[in-house]
Amino acid sequence: MRIRIVDAFTDRPFAGNPAGVLVLDDVFPDDNWLQNVALEVNHAETAFAHRLPEGGPADWALRWFTPVTEVAMCGHATLATAHVLFTTGAHEGPVRFATRSGVLIATPGADGSITLDFPTAPLTPVEIPAGLGKALGAEPLDALDTGPDVGDLLVELADEATVRALAPDLQALAAHSPRGVIATARAADPSLGYDYVSRCFFPNLGIDEDPVTGSAHTSLAPYWSARLGRDDLTGLQASRRTGLVRTGLRGDRTLLTGHAVTVIDGELLGQVSSEDAP
């Protein structure tokens, strides 16, 4: 079974967000096997996909696992999976993925980029939780719930420098959101090619800091579009690896555009046994 590691939301190796990608020949094996593979890969997410019968609402079924659990939505591993399908010739043109978050579409661009069509996160203002500033290492200006699919707490901080300097207490931070915390601020200098910055911390998913988070940008896009007065923006996720996500707000849908690079292409020897079949 072929397994690939793909760096997503970057056009060069060893940047962006790495994801494991397995294109299966048949239906999904037992969840325990999928989870064990994701733990072995030990990246933020590992994606598993298999082809669906023709004529249906989607072309491929897709699931995502962190090292400790399955997630409802993942942008970078979807981008990575689409990249593998396009570059290997397994699929041509826009691809429709059946997922826990509905049908998600990935469309290849002439410049090698891929655009994901995801649901826009519904943002609900909430009170800033007591103790969040201490856990995060900076006092938030604003806090919003991002809805069931994303499941994070989105907080705006004073400026880009504050976001970049964060060194949160991850154990304390875990108590403030079921999934994680997205910290964001306006770009200090938009002439550098991005409009806002973010960092994402997911201690409850076994991910201290996610390098580049596609799903988070379904909430960052409407948040910053409302403040900056433009539907099309570029976000920089200011992790150590960094990555750029071009966001396009289209009402209840958000377009996420980026590149991807395959950095490892190998063979998975831990095959599915008869006990692992569903």
Side-chain angles (χ1 to χ4, degrees):
M1 186 179 298
R2 295 282 287 278
I3 184 168
R4 297 169 175 87
I5 305 298
V6 177
D7 289 344
F9 292 114
T10 181
D11 58 2
R12 57 188 175 87
F14 315 124
N17 200 352
V21 178
L22 283 89
V23 179
L24 306 170
D25 292 331
D26 206 341
V27 297
F28 295 118
D30 179 80
D31 286 4
N32 289 332
W33 184 87
L34 298 174
Q35 188 64 73
N36 283 334
V37 172
L39 177 60
E40 188 77 13
V41 173
N42 203 33
H43 284 314
E45 268 88 12
T46 298
F48 302 89
H50 70 78
R51 195 185 300 272
L52 293 172
E54 293 184 4
D59 308 300
W60 293 78
L62 178 62
R63 295 172 70 182
W64 316 276
F65 286 76
T66 78
V68 299
T69 190
E70 185 174 9
V71 295
M73 179 188 292
C74 180
H76 87 277
T78 304
L79 185 74
T81 304
H83 169 77
V84 169
L85 296 182
F86 297 151
T87 56
T88 62
H91 192 94
E92 295 183 0
V95 55
R96 302 168 299 168
F97 292 111
T99 77
R100 288 174 58 180
S101 297
V103 175
L104 308 176
I105 301 173
T107 302
D111 63 350
S113 66
I114 297 171
T115 296
L116 307 178
D117 183 335
F118 271 42
T120 300
L123 301 181
T124 304
V126 297
E127 290 189 13
I128 298 172
L132 176 61
K134 182 178 179 181
L136 191 59
E139 288 299 327
L141 306 177
D142 199 8
L144 301 97
D145 178 82
T146 59
D149 287 338
V150 177
D152 298 326
L153 184 67
L154 172 64
V155 297
E156 183 182 355
L157 301 182
D159 51 37
E160 178 175 336
T162 302
V163 173
R164 289 182 177 274
L166 289 176
D169 178 340
L170 294 167
Q171 184 174 359
L173 199 65
H176 292 288
S177 173
R179 193 177 90 145
V181 174
I182 306 165
T184 188
R186 189 178 303 212
D189 183 0
S191 69
L192 295 177
Y194 56 92
D195 302 288
Y196 57 90
V197 297
S198 65
R199 289 176 66 189
C200 296
F201 306 98
F202 303 129
N204 288 322
L205 298 184
I207 305 164
D208 289 347
E209 180 171 4
D210 197 34
V212 192
T213 314
S215 61
H217 285 77
T218 66
S219 59
L220 290 163
Y223 186 81
W224 286 112
S225 289
R227 280 154 180 74
L228 300 177
R230 290 183 287 125
D231 289 338
D232 296 310
L233 301 169
T234 299
L236 171 71
Q237 195 152 330
S239 65
R240 181 177 178 183
R241 293 173 64 101
T242 75
L244 290 171
V245 183
R246 301 203 307 269
T247 57
L249 186 64
R250 304 293 184 266
D252 63 354
R253 308 295 295 183
T254 293
L255 305 181
L256 310 172
T257 301
H259 289 77
V261 181
T262 300
V263 292
I264 296 175
D265 186 344
E267 182 180 0
L268 177 65
L269 299 179
Q271 300 289 348
V272 180
S273 69
S274 59
E275 289 80 11
D276 295 316

